[in-house]
Amino acid sequence: MNKALRRRLYPVLDVLHRLLVAGLNIERRLEPYFRPTLNRLTREPVARLLQYLINRNRPDYGLGLAEEKIFPWEEQALDDIIDLMADQMRGHFKPGGYERGGNTKTHGIVRATVTIRDDLPEHLRQGIFASQRSYPAYVRFSGPGPDVPADIRDVGFSSMAIKIMDVPGEKLMDEEKFTQDMMGVCTPTFVTPDVRENAKLQYWSLVDMPIYYFINPFDSHILDFIMQALWNETQFNPLGHRYYSCVPYLLGEGQAMMYSFAPKAAVPKDIPGLPFGSPPFNYLRDNMVKTLDEKDVEFDLQIQLQTDPHRMPIENAAVRWPEKLSPYIPAATIHIPRQKFDSAAQFEFAKRLKINPWHCIPEHRPLGNQSRARRRMYYELSKFRQEMNDVSHLEPTGDEVFADPE
């Protein structure tokens, strides 16, 4: 759509978008009553149909396993994304109160231990999975952004990021020496297939009409929208949802993997005030507090090995890797002990952390154009955020001490 036409249509598009968001807000309040049954009956059949339709017209680049393809449009798209997200951050926050441009709202950051299993097949024993041992870690649970709304008004999207510490060896970014960052979101495919399309989404997000990116009749991404909607639902407790890497990483030389964090424990799911009352502003954090007041929780860190370079692509993050071709295999346990985590000091600590998948050892180098973009995008936007807040970057050790919650 050219700029002149976009300007003429903007008032109509804005009204349409507001109506869609209002409908989504109502539906979000009703989902806990019907969504579990709907998921059980329809999610997998619909996902298989969508993947067939997405794959039908997708080009085959003739790549091998763990092989990448560099596109000529990557750098321009990345420049656009950084500029658009920085503009959006300026519009949503004031100096001293800047939050992250994406994965914005911190529900909680908690201490954890990541323990590698001792029964992995030999070909999977690469990088941090090479031998059985335990690592200290912090885990950050967050909402989507670009602002910090009441939890019930988010878009049913959440993320989980792990900063594993005491990891020896060379790192691909020299700003941290002993960390391996891993991150996932609640949908098994990413919101956009590649960086070029992500730049379009960031434009529509900047003008507060992100849904229009998907339903734009001149440039539709409706298949991606429906795929996201299959997993994008009302969140109940960050400690009880499954998270997916969505983009691939090396698993040693010549192997690529996706990974997932799968919860192992039952957790409180109540959302007070539904369907038509007023849920607490931070009910997701409240449920985390309630859970970790009562018990430890655990996730399985699972890895999925790439076995087909076209059906399990490196360069298209909107394609779900079929588990029939390669099932997820438990590789480690993420243990989150009972703890208090909701002090102001601990949330301030979260603002000093930089989470970047390129904080990693070479054996787990991020793969694909989305990941190549993340290196500079995450670095520049986190640097900008911390400069606007006048705080310094901190590489944690796990020995940090926080004041008790007030």
Side-chain angles (χ1 to χ4, degrees):
M1 186 191 307
N2 63 49
K3 291 182 179 180
L5 178 60
R6 185 183 294 167
R7 282 195 297 270
R8 288 198 298 270
L9 289 178
Y10 183 87
V12 176
L13 299 179
D14 183 53
V15 171
L16 175 61
H17 192 274
R18 289 176 185 274
L19 290 173
L20 288 170
V21 171
L24 182 62
N25 286 335
I26 294 171
E27 192 257 357
R28 191 175 301 131
R29 290 171 169 272
L30 300 174
E31 274 191 343
Y33 303 101
F34 70 85
R35 189 62 184 261
T37 300
L38 185 66
N39 289 345
R40 196 162 51 248
L41 296 176
T42 66
R43 176 183 278 172
E44 287 302 329
V46 174
R48 286 194 295 269
L49 174 61
L50 290 169
Q51 286 295 266
Y52 166 76
L53 295 173
I54 290 170
N55 284 328
R56 186 175 55 176
N57 297 317
R58 185 167 59 84
D60 186 344
Y61 296 118
L63 302 176
L65 293 173
E67 186 178 352
E68 298 176 275
K69 176 180 174 62
I70 309 298
F71 297 96
W73 39 258
E74 289 186 37
E75 285 303 310
Q76 182 59 60
L78 175 56
D79 289 341
D80 292 344
I81 290 170
I82 292 172
D83 289 344
L84 289 164
M85 292 188 72
D87 282 348
Q88 189 169 60
M89 292 165 72
R90 293 185 188 97
H92 284 254
F93 307 114
K94 295 181 179 180
Y98 266 58
E99 300 285 353
R100 290 167 171 84
N103 302 317
T104 302
K105 184 177 182 180
T106 300
H107 302 311
I109 184 165
V110 298
R111 299 180 190 269
T113 302
V114 177
T115 301
I116 308 303
R117 294 174 64 106
D118 61 4
D119 59 352
L120 280 175
E122 189 62 31
H123 67 288
L124 301 183
R125 291 194 166 279
Q126 305 289 331
I128 64 168
F129 306 111
S131 58
Q132 197 283 324
R133 65 155 290 186
S134 294
Y135 298 91
Y138 284 107
V139 182
R140 178 179 179 259
F141 295 94
S142 58
D147 48 19
V148 185
D151 289 340
I152 198 61
R153 295 188 66 83
D154 74 7
V155 292
F157 190 85
S158 60
S159 63
M160 174 178 171
I162 309 175
K163 184 171 284 292
I164 304 173
M165 297 169 287
D166 193 29
V167 177
E170 175 193 358
K171 304 299 184 300
L172 294 182
M173 290 188 74
D174 60 9
E175 67 175 357
E176 295 197 359
K177 305 297 185 184
F178 301 102
T179 60
Q180 170 77 42
D181 292 357
M182 305 180 78
M183 58 194 67
V185 297
C186 64
T187 56
T189 57
F190 197 58
V191 66
T192 59
D194 55 47
V195 174
R196 181 165 54 180
E197 300 308 309
N198 194 277
K200 298 175 184 177
L201 174 61
Q202 297 309 324
Y203 167 79
W204 288 111
S205 183
L206 178 63
V207 298
D208 292 326
M209 291 195 297
I211 295 177
Y212 192 74
Y213 161 79
F214 297 101
I215 64 172
N216 180 355
F218 303 99
D219 186 19
S220 173
H221 300 86
I222 195 66
L223 295 179
D224 295 336
F225 179 78
I226 299 172
M227 178 63 81
Q228 290 287 298
L230 290 176
W231 277 267
N232 196 312
E233 58 188 309
T234 303
Q235 304 291 293
F236 54 81
N237 185 332
L239 297 169
H241 294 279
R242 185 174 179 180
Y243 303 87
Y244 304 84
S245 68
C246 294
V247 294
Y249 298 82
L250 278 181
L251 183 62
E253 187 64 30
Q255 295 189 127
M257 67 170 177
M258 294 275 198
Y259 56 76
S260 173
F261 312 133
K264 300 174 68 175
V267 298
K269 297 183 178 181
D270 293 341
I271 306 175
L274 293 188
F276 300 119
S278 298
F281 192 90
N282 294 318
Y283 77 80
L284 291 170
R285 183 183 306 167
D286 295 344
N287 278 349
M288 284 184 66
V289 169
K290 182 178 179 180
T291 304
L292 293 179
D293 275 347
E294 298 173 353
K295 62 181 180 181
D296 302 357
V297 299
E298 289 186 339
F299 289 79
D300 272 333
L301 197 171
Q302 305 173 337
I303 57 179
Q304 181 188 27
L305 192 67
Q306 184 195 38
T307 58
D308 184 315
H310 178 62
R311 294 183 65 188
M312 307 169 79
I314 296 294
E315 298 295 346
N316 189 320
V319 176
R320 186 184 179 197
W321 285 12
E323 292 189 49
K324 285 186 177 180
L325 294 180
S326 180
Y328 279 97
I329 297 173
T333 298
I334 304 163
H335 180 81
I336 302 174
R338 292 178 59 186
Q339 60 190 279
K340 299 290 186 183
F341 67 89
D342 53 338
S343 68
Q346 200 150 333
F347 282 97
E348 286 302 311
F349 164 73
K351 294 182 179 180
R352 297 187 62 191
L353 293 183
K354 291 185 179 182
I355 297 173
N356 190 319
W358 289 85
H359 293 155
C360 70
I361 56 178
E363 292 91 336
H364 299 317
R365 178 172 60 83
L367 299 173
N369 64 88
Q370 302 265 23
S371 290
R372 292 190 292 274
R374 281 176 166 179
R375 179 168 187 154
R376 180 159 66 89
M377 176 177 67
Y378 282 23
Y379 174 80
E380 291 193 16
L381 291 176
S382 61
K383 182 173 181 288
F384 171 62
R385 168 176 58 88
Q386 292 185 339
E387 287 176 348
M388 297 305 293
N389 289 336
D390 195 24
V391 298
S392 59
H393 168 223
L394 170 69
E395 178 177 354
T397 64
D399 296 327
E400 291 77 17
V401 177
F402 308 108
D404 290 335
E406 297 177 358

